[in-house]
Amino acid sequence: MKSDIQSWIRVARRIGKHILNQSDMDSTVKVWRKTYKSSEKVMKDLNDPHFFAQKAVLREEISKRYTWEDFIVWRQQRNRNRRLQLLRYAAVVLIIMASIPVIWFLVDKPVGFPVVVQSGMEAGGKKAFLTLDNGNEIFLDKQLLLKEEDGTVIRNTQIGEVSYQDEGGVPLDSVTRYNTLFIPRGGEYQITLADGTKVWMNSDSKLVFPVRFPGNKREVILEGEAYFEVAHDTTRPFCVKACGIDIRATGTAFNVMAYSDEPECKVTLVEGGVNIEKNEFLISQLTPRMQFCIDLKTQEYKTTEVDLRVSTAWKDGIFFFEQESFRSIIAKLSRWYDITIVCNTPDLYDYRFSGEIRKYENALKVLDMLKLTNEITYSLQADHSIIVFKIND
């Protein structure tokens, strides 16, 4: 049998005709089955509707992430034999997949198909609302250029970043104007403040900040989670107010997790140094790799050394769990995927899990990773909520 693409396409067409019409296998297909050991696996896959459901999901994921040019570059990196093997199999699979709906309807008995990526299960993305001092609200979904009354220029790009630039020339008046950046569930965004400080905002978070920083202080208010890279300025400390504490720095990088529905507020220092104050009293000083944690109910606090990835990997597109409670994991997944996850086994909340996965995977893939522990399983409901329960419960 010739090892060329046209030959394999002809074989694929005849296999497709055989499967779809349940016709007798012609001589070309018989020769193919006798010649190639892998043919039995191919025939088994092509007769299994589950196989097509899985490939449909894979094809959709690939089309979202890679262009044809990406595929060509990848293909050129392989040797000729590997390339031919791929194209042979692809020729068979892709031609048959063109008839997936037909195959599904020709199945004689009901088949329980695996769950395909559902609407509402997709990962979050670049979404944010900007509320100006005058009350106007702007959905940041396109390029934007605004100029405030005090001369500050606001720019929004299409890559998920809004920036403030104090161009000077206009004297500061006695009124400090505040803007608010709100990131909804299923969103993330980045902002550069007028002093050059960069802030990565996580889902379901809000940052209140002055358009220009007046006088000798830089102060913002945070609800939710954000990673700060503070522009260095020893004469004007930078202060983040969150969950009843003040986090002060002059030029450093740190993460603040301050959700009102979480039991604790956490400040994790990456580099530099920060002071933690409460009611104007210094209660903690952090050095790199240290985390300050305060119980929002009892107000008790502690400082420990931690793996920075646990607190900062989210801004780099990764879920990183290190002996993390299932309660905390559920909260993170619910915010990022904007879904409802219900745990039917209360004692599961305190189970601890470790691992990492790209947060741009769909929600079900993340849950499938947790299933590998053989501790939990889940059920997808008609309203796209997810019920999680302990195996054997």
Side-chain angles (χ1 to χ4, degrees):
M1 186 176 292
K2 295 181 180 180
S3 295
D4 61 87
I5 302 303
Q6 291 302 321
S7 295
W8 286 103
I9 290 177
R10 285 194 293 272
V11 172
R13 291 184 188 281
R14 295 183 184 186
I15 294 174
K17 182 179 179 180
H18 163 66
I19 292 176
L20 293 174
N21 300 328
Q22 296 296 301
S23 59
D24 292 336
M25 192 178 299
D26 72 10
S27 58
T28 303
V29 179
K30 289 179 180 179
V31 171
W32 169 73
R33 295 190 70 172
K34 289 180 180 180
T35 305
Y36 295 92
K37 294 180 180 180
S38 61
S39 63
E40 293 307 312
K41 182 180 185 306
V42 172
M43 291 300 293
K44 181 180 178 181
D45 287 341
L46 296 179
N47 279 284
D48 180 6
H50 291 76
F51 170 79
F52 292 106
Q54 294 164 358
K55 293 301 179 185
V57 173
L58 177 62
R59 182 174 61 180
E60 182 180 349
E61 287 296 305
I62 290 175
S63 67
K64 287 179 180 178
R65 297 181 189 177
Y66 303 104
T67 64
W68 176 252
E69 289 75 16
D70 294 330
F71 173 74
I72 294 299
V73 172
W74 172 83
R75 190 180 67 177
Q76 291 173 344
Q77 295 173 347
R78 303 293 186 181
N79 59 43
R80 183 175 182 276
N81 290 335
R82 174 60 179 160
R83 184 163 67 246
L84 285 175
Q85 181 183 3
L86 168 69
L87 292 174
R88 289 170 186 167
Y89 190 73
V92 176
V93 173
L94 292 177
I95 290 175
I96 305 301
M97 280 186 68
S99 304
I100 287 176
V102 180
I103 294 175
W104 284 357
F105 286 114
L106 287 178
V107 176
D108 292 332
K109 55 185 179 181
V111 176
F113 293 107
V115 176
V116 179
V117 179
Q118 301 287 333
S119 175
M121 295 293 108
E122 297 86 356
K126 307 296 184 183
K127 289 185 284 187
F129 294 88
L130 179 66
T131 303
L132 304 179
D133 189 71
N134 60 13
N136 290 340
E137 185 176 74
I138 304 169
F139 180 47
L140 299 178
D141 61 340
K142 55 183 177 293
Q143 288 187 338
L144 173 72
L145 180 62
L146 291 176
K147 193 164 187 176
E148 291 274 20
E149 293 179 13
D150 62 5
T152 303
V153 175
I154 306 173
R155 291 186 176 87
N156 185 60
T157 70
Q158 292 181 329
I159 58 173
E161 179 180 358
V162 61
S163 64
Y164 283 66
Q165 186 172 354
D166 184 354
E167 296 196 341
V170 179
L172 282 170
D173 55 28
S174 58
V175 178
T176 301
R177 293 177 172 80
Y178 288 89
N179 284 184
T180 300
L181 184 66
F182 173 68
I183 317 301
R185 287 165 63 93
E188 62 179 358
Y189 224 75
Q190 184 179 342
I191 180 171
T192 301
L193 302 177
D195 68 331
T197 293
K198 295 183 179 297
V199 188
W200 285 257
M201 301 284 294
N202 208 346
S203 302
D204 198 16
S205 299
K206 181 172 72 173
L207 186 72
V208 181
F209 57 94
V211 173
R212 295 171 74 179
F213 291 103
N216 59 356
K217 65 178 182 179
R218 297 177 291 169
E219 213 168 70
V220 300
I221 302 171
L222 173 69
E223 296 177 18
E225 184 168 26
Y227 180 90
F228 294 83
E229 284 187 358
V230 177
H232 188 74
D233 187 344
T234 56
T235 64
R236 295 191 302 167
F238 190 93
C239 177
V240 179
K241 291 181 171 293
C243 57
I245 60 174
D246 292 346
I247 306 148
R248 297 190 184 277
T250 56
T252 186
F254 57 93
N255 191 81
V256 181
M257 195 274 285
Y259 288 104
S260 60
D261 58 352
E262 291 278 0
E264 300 171 323
C265 173
K266 299 177 180 178
V267 181
T268 309
L269 183 63
V270 176
E271 60 181 48
V274 298
N275 292 341
I276 310 293
E277 300 176 4
K278 184 175 177 59
N279 299 325
E280 299 185 353
F281 289 97
L282 178 66
I283 60 174
S284 184
Q285 292 180 301
L286 299 185
T287 54
R289 305 186 66 84
M290 300 301 292
Q291 181 181 85
F292 171 86
C293 179
I294 183 169
D295 187 302
L296 296 182
K297 185 176 182 179
T298 66
Q299 293 299 298
E300 295 179 350
Y301 55 86
K302 61 182 178 181
T303 302
T304 56
E305 185 171 356
V306 295
D307 185 334
L308 294 178
R309 292 174 294 176
V310 175
S311 298
T312 64
W314 66 266
K315 80 176 185 66
D316 299 317
I318 297 173
F319 284 123
F320 187 89
F321 307 129
E322 181 68 28
Q323 288 296 300
E324 187 155 355
S325 72
F326 192 53
R327 183 189 302 275
S328 175
I329 292 174
I330 285 179
K332 289 180 178 180
L333 298 184
S334 298
R335 283 191 289 262
W336 176 238
Y337 293 102
D338 192 15
I339 56 178
T340 299
I341 303 178
V342 179
C343 183
N344 259 8
T345 314
D347 62 350
L348 262 181
Y349 283 125
D350 296 322
Y351 275 49
R352 302 281 170 171
F353 295 88
S354 297
E356 65 178 285
I357 189 170
R358 293 181 71 254
K359 73 175 190 178
Y360 300 109
E361 302 288 357
N362 67 75
L364 302 182
K365 187 164 184 178
V366 179
L367 288 170
D368 284 340
M369 182 191 78
L370 296 175
K371 281 179 64 176
L372 295 177
T373 63
N374 293 321
E375 296 286 353
I376 71 165
T377 187
Y378 66 87
S379 173
L380 179 62
Q381 306 302 295
D383 63 356
H384 301 307
S385 64
I386 296 173
I387 296 179
V388 180
F389 45 92
K390 185 178 179 181
I391 291 179
N392 298 326
D393 256 28

